[in-house]
């Protein structure tokens, strides 16, 4: 899957907010690409835009292209998009509590996708549902399929979400904070499950998270977003060992570590800019520790540092040219 | 140094009632016999997964929830025996910072009013001094006095949490319970608030009890860590010792499950199977035996004793 120059705007009473501003992503089969960033940086909006799940009235998604399997998803009519969504492209949402329909049995919710996309008969679909539930490690799958979402714990519901997303063997899975609402021991189970399914089916995963620990464990490539833009992109080892952008550096330094004892945590002063009032030059300049005068005026480009490492900082850009 | 707070055999059972007469048919043992001490100027971190009773413990100590049983000695005063009016006055010594900075500040009150309330209730101060005190509090937590006239919605999450901390500090307490103070904040903001908490501790020689599900946060700020599982404390030791040599199988699993932000790290992850059991009908014996890889026969029938395995290192496990 390839996304080129994605822009998403929202119409709000206070003006037009550009939540995502020119994102390029390339997702390779069987790989996991992580998107990290703090709340409000546009990571979830990116995923919803790709899936075409934003309300049409208030939002405007534009892009040079969102190519999936050679087809441009953005130009597709809604009817055709429905054929792909949930079939070849699936999504896991953050809140396992609210993203399942409380009035339908779990089995029926998963079977819906099978019946719609794969034209399965009801009994056949039900068999597949039980098989899927077993695959994601749910005990007593026959009985659980007949239960309602409120009867399950958070971890179990997230497994159901994964079963639902994997039902039609999608080639791309977008996971939006799949473990944020879960406890660490359950999170470890779910991440293991995602890794296992990926190895078996060769699914490409776009993992959206704010947790750098999850990224380090799961991803091959990482994209760091700030205020609607990509500020740094690299392979996971490169990013953690050799971060270039001051924001990435700050983010890594502000984490309390489990291994050593720190006397003080580094922190990034200030806060994320208001999306209605984005700084003119570099968007990170007001919080940057090594800000130069020209940062307020010049918009940095995403500079290519080689080996799939990109960074949006004037310092990198000048080194590059 | 002597203990500022001594808690012994703290219990909180929530009754389960059924039928039109509200007959009690069972109880959720949210906290089931927890004991610990906190020394003056130190920080006890309590970790555990959701539903393990860590927040209930914090609130029961302050008697925001009436404990079912147990003794809470604060500086020699038995908090669990205080009468309502005595308790109200005693609250000046113990305060709390809540988890959700969006829900714990009244949206219709200005910051001035929010911070004034405890001062006016508990201290008889002249008007000018109240104003000064509020301005002073805001400065202590890294905000400015002009923020006092604003409303909570005008602040970001990190700033609101600072206001929450300022409110807890208003009465110069000795002890503050911090219930997941940074879990609603982004990492770059989280580190600001954690640093602030540390500075304030030094400045006012505060004693904290920090409740968190995040082991790395607990490690950063605590001197002593207690691990809870299903209403019971399973291990309690100094931070250094616990992280160097965790003994309880649950502590080990919890530590190995935390994703490490280092792609080169090699680790032996212990992935627990299954979910946390229902606290209204916990498994017999050791409550952890259903998920423990090292469980023996005895674990399923007899509850392990809470014992001191080495100085200041407490544990409830049959293996040791």
């Amino acid at each position: 899957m390839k996304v080129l120059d994605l822009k998403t705007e929202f119409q709000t009473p206070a003006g037009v907010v550009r939540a995502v501003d020119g994102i390029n992503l390339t997702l390779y089969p069987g790989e996991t690409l992580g998107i990290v960033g703090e709340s409000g940086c546009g990571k979830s909006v990116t995923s919803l835009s790709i899936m075409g799940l934003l309300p049409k009235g208030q939002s405007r998604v534009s892009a040079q292209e969102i190519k999936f399997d050679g087809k441009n998803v953005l130009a597709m009519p809604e009817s055709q998009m429905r054929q792909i969504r949930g079939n070849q492209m699936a999504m896991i949402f953050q809140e396992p509590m609210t993203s399942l329909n409380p009035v339908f049995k779990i089995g029926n919710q998963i079977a819906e996708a099978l019946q719609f996309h794969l034209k399965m008969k009801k009994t056949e679909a039900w068999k597949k549902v039980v098989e899927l539930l077993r695959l994601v490690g749910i005990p007593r799958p026959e009985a659980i399929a007949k239960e309602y979402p409120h009867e399950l714990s958070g971890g179990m519901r997230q497994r159901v979400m994964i079963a639902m997303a994997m039902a039609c063997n999608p080639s791309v899975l977008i996971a939006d904070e799949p473990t944020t609402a879960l406890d660490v021991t359950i999170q470890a189970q779910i991440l293991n499950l995602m890794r296992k399914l990926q190895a078996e089916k060769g699914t490409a995963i776009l993992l959206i998270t704010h947790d750098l620990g999850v990224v380090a464990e799961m991803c091959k490539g990482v994209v760091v977003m700030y205020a609607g833009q990509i500020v740094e992109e690299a392979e996971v080892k490169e990013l953690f060992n050799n971060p270039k952008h001051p924001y990435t550096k700050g983010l890594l330094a502000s984490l309390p570590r489990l291994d050593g004892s720190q006397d003080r945590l580094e922190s990034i002063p200030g806060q994320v800019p208001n999306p209605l009032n984005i700084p003119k030059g570099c968007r990170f300049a007001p919080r940057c520790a090594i800000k130069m005068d020209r940062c307020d005026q010049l918009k940095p480009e995403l500079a290519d540092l080689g080996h799939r490492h990109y960074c949006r900082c004037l310092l990198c850009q000048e080194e590059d040219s | 140094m002597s203990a500022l707070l001594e808690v012994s055999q703290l219990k909180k059972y929530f009754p389960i009632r059924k039928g039109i007469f509200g007959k009690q048919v069972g109880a959720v043992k949210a906290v089931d016999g927890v004991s610990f001490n906190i020394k003056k100027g130190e920080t006890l971190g309590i970790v555990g997964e959701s539903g393990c009773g860590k927040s209930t413990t914090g609130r029961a100590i302050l008697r925001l929830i009436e404990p079912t049983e147990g003794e809470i000695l604060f500086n020699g005063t038995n908090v669990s025996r205080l009468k309502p009016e005595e308790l109200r006055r005693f609250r000046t010594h113990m305060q709390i910072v809540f988890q959700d900075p969006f829900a714990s500040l009244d949206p219709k009150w200005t910051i001035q009013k929010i911070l004034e309330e405890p001062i006016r209730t508990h201290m008889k101060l002249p008007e000018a001094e109240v104003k000064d005190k509020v301005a002073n509090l805001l400065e202590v937590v890294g905000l400015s006095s002009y923020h006092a006239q604003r409303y909570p919605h005008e602040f970001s999450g990190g700033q609101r949490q600072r206001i929450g901390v300022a409110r807890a500090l208003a009465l110069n307490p000795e002890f503050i319970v911090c219930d997941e103070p940074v879990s609603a904040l982004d990492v770059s903001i989280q580190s600001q608030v954690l640093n602030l908490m540390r500075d304030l501790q030094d400045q006012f020689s505060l004693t904290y009890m920090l409740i968190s599900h995040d082991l790395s946060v607990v490690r950063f700020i605590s001197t002593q860590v207690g691990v809870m599982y299903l209403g019971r404390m399973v291990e309690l030791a100094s931070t250094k010792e616990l992280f160097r040599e965790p003994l309880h199988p649950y502590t080990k699993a919890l530590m190995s499950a935390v994703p490490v932000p280092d792609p080169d790290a090699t680790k032996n992850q212990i992935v627990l199977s299954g979910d946390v059991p229902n606290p209204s009908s916990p498994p017999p014996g050791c409550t952890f035996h259903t998920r423990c890889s090292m469980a023996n026969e005895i674990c399923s029938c007899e509850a392990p004793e809470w014992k001191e395995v080495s100085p200041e290192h407490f544990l409830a496990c049959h293996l040791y």
Side-chain angles (χ1 to χ4, degrees), chain B residues 122-181:
Chain B
H122 288 284
M123 296 183 196
K124 300 241 170 333
L125 286 182
E127 200 56 24
E129 270 180 55
V130 173
K131 283 245 149 54
D132 280 354
K133 175 120 187 150
V134 169
N136 190 7
L137 279 171
L138 283 170
E139 249 149 61
V140 163
V141 297
L143 296 170
S144 309
S145 48
Y146 65 83
H147 285 126
Q149 296 316 317
R150 299 197 184 166
Y151 289 89
H153 75 264
E154 297 173 71
F155 293 92
S156 66
Q159 288 175 317
R160 282 185 215 210
Q161 203 56 299
R162 285 170 192 266
I163 295 164
V165 172
R167 179 174 59 183
L169 286 174
L171 299 168
N172 312 321
E174 291 149 77
F175 176 66
I176 301 182
V177 173
C178 307
D179 190 355
E180 302 266 14

Side-chain angles (χ1 to χ4, degrees), chain A residues 48 82 98 127-128 196 209 235 263 288:
Chain A
L48 293 171
R82 285 193 64 162
T98 52
K127 245 187 233 153
K128 177 82 182 168
K196 194 183 111 207
T209 178
E235 290 198 359
D263 260 356
C288 186

Side-chain angles (χ1 to χ4, degrees), chain A residues 51-275:
Chain A
M51 290 291 278
L53 284 175
L54 287 169
K56 289 267 160 9
Q58 302 121 37
S59 66
R60 223 176 53 120
V61 179
S62 66
Q64 220 167 317
E65 59 174 10
I66 301 180
K67 236 187 188 150
F68 171 73
D69 220 5
K71 287 165 280 186
N72 192 353
V73 176
L74 204 67
M76 274 181 197
E78 180 61 21
S79 60
Q80 213 180 336
M81 188 63 205
R82 285 193 64 162
Q83 297 296 330
I84 291 185
R85 200 190 292 136
N87 191 3
Q88 285 144 329
M89 251 161 88
M91 186 154 177
I92 304 174
F93 295 93
Q94 173 171 8
E95 271 284 329
M97 311 293 162
T98 52
S99 39
L100 292 169
N101 192 330
V103 298
F104 288 107
K105 286 179 185 154
I106 299 223
N108 289 339
Q109 295 192 44
I110 303 175
E112 189 189 352
L114 295 167
Q115 286 168 291
F116 180 81
H117 290 299
L118 305 182
K119 309 280 173 258
M120 282 190 184
K121 294 263 159 37
K122 206 169 174 196
T123 45
E124 197 187 347
W126 197 265
K127 245 187 233 153
K128 177 82 182 168
V129 165
V130 173
E131 196 185 303
L132 281 165
L133 289 176
R134 187 169 292 129
L135 184 73
V136 295
I138 285 185
R140 305 180 289 117
E142 292 88 356
I144 297 281
K146 289 185 196 133
E147 289 189 2
Y148 291 91
H150 74 266
E151 295 175 87
L152 302 182
S153 66
M156 294 285 255
R157 281 184 233 194
Q158 201 56 291
R159 282 166 196 267
V160 170
M161 284 290 294
I162 293 177
M164 201 184 281
M166 298 303 285
C168 302
N169 272 338
S171 42
V172 170
L173 179 67
I174 299 180
D176 187 359
E177 305 263 10
T179 56
T180 307
L182 306 175
D183 283 316
V184 275
T185 61
I186 309 295
Q187 166 171 292
Q189 292 173 4
I190 298 288
L191 294 181
N192 265 3
L193 172 67
M194 283 174 59
R195 259 192 297 249
K196 194 183 111 207
L197 290 175
Q198 181 176 41
E200 278 171 23
K201 317 256 176 187
T203 319
I205 300 179
L206 184 64
L207 181 72
I208 293 160
T209 178
H210 67 277
D211 188 333
L212 286 160
V214 171
V215 167
E217 285 197 359
M218 294 287 292
C219 301
K220 183 146 191 287
V222 192
V223 166
V224 183
M225 279 184 75
Y226 185 77
Q229 289 184 325
I230 294 179
V231 293
E232 187 160 9
E233 180 176 353
E235 290 198 359
V236 70
K237 283 196 181 165
E238 173 77 4
L239 188 93
F240 279 86
N241 295 333
N242 188 17
K244 287 284 186 222
H245 197 280
Y247 177 63
T248 317
K249 286 181 190 167
L251 216 51
L252 285 169
S254 61
L255 286 176
R257 302 281 171 148
L258 208 53
D259 45 5
S261 58
Q262 298 138 300
D263 260 356
R264 261 198 104 63
L265 293 173
E266 299 291 326
S267 60
I268 307 176
Q271 43 200 297
V272 181
N274 181 342

Side-chain angles (χ1 to χ4, degrees), chain A residues 37-39 153-156 183-189 191-192 195 210-214 216-217 236-237 240-241 247 250-252 254-272 287, chain B residues 48-51 54 155-157 159 186-192 194-196 198-199 213-217 219-220 243 250 253-264 267 269-276 291:
Chain A
E38 297 179 281
S39 11
S153 66
M156 294 285 255
D183 283 316
V184 275
T185 61
I186 309 295
Q187 166 171 292
Q189 292 173 4
L191 294 181
N192 265 3
R195 259 192 297 249
H210 67 277
D211 188 333
L212 286 160
V214 171
E217 285 197 359
V236 70
K237 283 196 181 165
F240 279 86
N241 295 333
Y247 177 63
L251 216 51
L252 285 169
S254 61
L255 286 176
R257 302 281 171 148
L258 208 53
D259 45 5
S261 58
Q262 298 138 300
D263 260 356
R264 261 198 104 63
L265 293 173
E266 299 291 326
S267 60
I268 307 176
Q271 43 200 297
V272 181
R287 299 176 73 190
Chain B
E49 298 179 276
S50 30
K54 51 191 193 302
F155 293 92
S156 66
Q159 288 175 317
D186 278 318
V187 270
S188 71
I189 309 296
Q190 167 180 305
S191 55
Q192 293 174 9
L194 288 176
N195 280 338
L196 171 73
R198 263 211 166 171
D199 293 344
H213 67 280
D214 189 334
L215 277 165
S216 38
V217 167
R219 163 146 216 182
F220 173 70
F243 281 86
Y250 179 64
L254 201 60
M255 283 186 184
S256 80
V258 179
V260 181
D262 176 7
D264 299 321
K267 55 180 204 171
Q269 203 177 42
I270 310 165
V271 177
L272 292 177
S273 55
D275 261 326
V276 180
R291 299 173 79 194

Side-chain angles (χ1 to χ4, degrees), chain B residues 93-316:
Chain B
H93 301 291
M94 327 163 82
Q95 288 289 320
I96 183 165
V97 176
F98 293 99
Q99 170 171 13
D100 188 346
F102 293 86
S104 56
L105 301 175
D106 189 327
K108 289 191 272 183
W109 283 16
T110 59
I111 304 309
Q112 175 81 27
K113 203 168 171 202
I114 290 172
L115 295 179
E116 258 177 22
E117 195 193 23
I119 303 172
R120 287 192 194 280
T121 317
H122 288 284
M123 296 183 196
K124 300 241 170 333
L125 286 182
E127 200 56 24
E129 270 180 55
V130 173
K131 283 245 149 54
D132 280 354
K133 175 120 187 150
V134 169
N136 190 7
L137 279 171
L138 283 170
E139 249 149 61
V140 163
V141 297
L143 296 170
S144 309
S145 48
Y146 65 83
H147 285 126
Q149 296 316 317
R150 299 197 184 166
Y151 289 89
H153 75 264
E154 297 173 71
F155 293 92
S156 66
Q159 288 175 317
R160 282 185 215 210
Q161 203 56 299
R162 285 170 192 266
I163 295 164
V165 172
R167 179 174 59 183
L169 286 174
L171 299 168
N172 312 321
E174 291 149 77
F175 176 66
I176 301 182
V177 173
C178 307
D179 190 355
E180 302 266 14
V182 294
S183 60
L185 307 177
D186 278 318
V187 270
S188 71
I189 309 296
Q190 167 180 305
S191 55
Q192 293 174 9
V193 175
L194 288 176
N195 280 338
L196 171 73
M197 284 175 58
R198 263 211 166 171
D199 293 344
L200 294 175
Q201 180 162 39
D202 290 345
Q203 201 177 337
F204 300 105
S205 54
L206 293 168
T207 308
Y208 288 138
M209 177 166 146
L210 174 82
I211 296 161
S212 178
H213 67 280
D214 189 334
L215 277 165
S216 38
V217 167
V218 165
R219 163 146 216 182
F220 173 70
I221 213 160
S222 313
T223 43
Q224 211 189 359
V225 180
V227 182
M228 283 186 74
Y229 185 77
L230 264 186
R232 294 193 192 161
M233 198 158 303
V234 295
E235 190 163 3
L236 174 69
S238 72
T239 309
K240 259 197 196 138
E241 172 135 351
L242 191 84
F243 281 86
R244 198 191 60 221
E245 206 189 357
L247 294 177
H248 198 284
Y250 179 64
T251 316
K252 287 181 188 167
L254 201 60
M255 283 186 184
S256 80
V258 179
V260 181
D262 176 7
D264 299 321
T266 48
K267 55 180 204 171
N268 305 320
Q269 203 177 42
I270 310 165
V271 177
L272 292 177
S273 55
D275 261 326
V276 180
N278 185 345
S280 66
S281 56
C286 172
T287 46
F288 184 60
H289 84 262
T290 51
R291 299 173 79 194
C292 183
S293 59
M294 291 148 94
N296 298 321
E297 262 167 54
I298 183 168
C299 302
S300 56
C301 41
E302 209 177 297
E305 217 183 308
W306 180 242
K307 56 191 177 233
E308 194 166 4
V309 284
S310 57
E312 303 280 297
H313 193 149
F314 296 85
L315 184 72

